[in-house]
Amino acid sequence: MDNVEIIKIAMQQSAYDCCCTAADFQKEENSTHVSLSSEKARKYLKLPHICNLVSYGTNIVACGRKELLPEIEAFINGASSISDCFETPELYALNDILAKYDARVCFMAEYFLPDMDLIYGADISCPYELRVLAPDDFTTLYVPAWSNALCKDRKHLDILGVGAYEEGKLIGLAGCSADCDAMWQIGVDVLPGYRRRGIASALTNRLARETFERGKVPFYCAAWSNVKSVKNAVRSGFRPGWVEVTARPCGEVEQMLGRAGERS
C-alpha cells in the first residue's frame, strides 16, 4: 500500500459517507448531494446528515437534506475560498441557513492520513514497554482515563490497541475503532504524569503499523484547535487528509452544552 492508494481509499469512504462518488472530491467544482443512510458509512455517523461539508482541498462536497441543498449550494459557491466555508464569519452565515431547519454547526474536525514514508521511516523511540492488545484486554479499561482510546458506547468496534507499561502499570493507551470496512480510527490517551515523553507518538505510530499489517488504513481525527492532538498526529507520521463541518439539531447541540430544557 502506498500514499496514492491510501488517499483513494479515504475518498471512497468519504463517498460512502456523503452519498457521492470518490471522483467528486477531485473535481474543481463544488457539488451537493442528498444524504441517505448507508451501511458502508462510518459506523458512528448519525445519518442522514442535515448538512455536512467535506473538503480534501480541491473543492467542497456537501450533503444534507434535499430541501436544504439549494441554499447550501449557494453558500459554498458564494464564498471567496474553500477555507472560508470552514471558518467564521462564513460559518455564521451557514448557521443562519441552518436555523430555518432547527439546526446549527456542531462539529469541526480535521482528519489525518498516514504518510507511509513517515510511518515507517520515523525514528520514534519509547522508554517503556509496548504491548499489542486485543478486545479481550479492554474489558476493565472503559474508564475516563482511556476515553479517547476506547469508546464504551461502541465497545464492539474497539478492535486493536497498543499499551505502554511501566513495571506492569498501564500508563498510555492507543486504540483502534473499526469504524468502516477499510479504515480504522486511532485515538490515544496518556496518564497526566507521563505526558511530554513521546509516549503518545510512539503508541500512535506503532498502532498505525499494526493496523497496516491487518490490511486496514489507520486514520486520526482532531479538532483544529486541539494543538496537542494535531502535533501528535504529525509526530506519529500522519499528514492532513481532509476537513469536515457537520450540523446537528439545535436540541442535540444544547444537550452537549448542558443546556437541555433551557430553550423557550
Side-chain angles (χ1 to χ4, degrees):
M1 191 178 298
D2 58 22
N3 291 339
V4 173
E5 185 176 359
I6 287 171
I7 195 69
K8 287 182 178 179
I9 291 172
M11 286 183 176
Q12 181 57 66
Q13 184 57 53
S14 292
Y16 294 142
D17 300 339
C18 297
C19 300
C20 63
T21 68
D24 285 318
F25 297 100
Q26 302 178 64
K27 297 176 180 177
E28 292 186 4
E29 65 272 13
N30 301 322
S31 63
T32 58
H33 309 267
V34 176
S35 180
L36 301 170
S37 296
S38 171
E39 293 184 358
K40 294 183 177 181
R42 280 173 283 161
K43 301 296 190 298
Y44 59 87
L45 296 180
K46 295 182 178 181
L47 299 178
H49 282 300
I50 297 172
C51 174
N52 193 57
L53 308 182
V54 178
S55 179
Y56 279 79
T58 301
N59 65 1
I60 298 174
V61 173
C63 67
R65 292 180 181 171
K66 182 177 181 179
E67 65 272 22
L68 183 57
L69 290 184
E71 290 186 83
I72 296 302
E73 182 177 15
F75 168 73
I76 62 178
N77 289 332
S80 59
S81 69
I82 293 172
S83 59
D84 283 351
C85 286
F86 292 84
E87 296 285 353
T88 55
E90 293 293 339
L91 287 181
Y92 295 136
L94 178 58
N95 262 338
D96 289 341
I97 297 171
L98 295 170
K100 304 172 188 177
Y101 301 87
D102 196 34
R104 66 179 69 168
V105 171
C106 184
F107 301 116
M108 300 167 59
E110 183 172 10
Y111 291 83
F112 296 80
L113 292 170
D115 182 309
M116 296 299 280
D117 293 334
L118 298 174
I119 289 291
Y120 287 96
D123 182 15
I124 302 176
S125 60
C126 180
Y128 302 98
E129 176 192 3
L130 300 185
R131 301 179 193 170
V132 177
L133 305 176
D136 288 346
D137 300 311
F138 302 151
T139 306
T140 62
L141 301 181
Y142 288 97
V143 295
W146 314 119
S147 60
N148 289 310
L150 303 173
C151 181
K152 65 179 181 180
D153 294 329
R154 299 189 297 273
K155 293 180 181 180
H156 62 290
L157 297 180
D158 291 331
I159 196 74
L160 183 67
V162 175
Y165 292 82
E166 181 184 50
E167 298 179 354
K169 174 187 175 183
L170 182 65
I171 60 172
L173 176 65
C176 257
S177 178
D179 291 332
C180 35
D181 289 342
M183 302 177 71
W184 291 354
Q185 182 172 192
I186 291 179
V188 62
D189 291 290
V190 176
L191 295 181
Y194 293 87
R195 294 172 185 170
R196 297 181 180 273
R197 302 185 189 182
I199 298 172
S201 56
L203 289 170
T204 304
N205 179 273
R206 174 67 181 278
L207 187 53
R209 297 187 189 198
E210 294 290 338
T211 301
F212 277 123
E213 288 184 11
R214 288 155 179 80
K216 307 297 181 180
V217 174
F219 71 103
Y220 186 105
C221 177
W224 67 267
S225 57
N226 191 341
V227 177
K228 289 182 179 179
S229 187
V230 171
K231 284 183 176 180
N232 179 60
V234 173
R235 283 195 297 263
S236 303
F238 287 75
R239 290 293 180 263
W242 76 96
V243 292
E244 295 193 26
V245 163
T246 306
R248 298 301 303 161
C250 288
E252 185 175 320
V253 177
E254 295 288 351
Q255 188 174 28
M256 291 180 187
L257 293 170
R259 300 171 184 169
E262 293 184 11
R263 300 173 66 219
S264 58

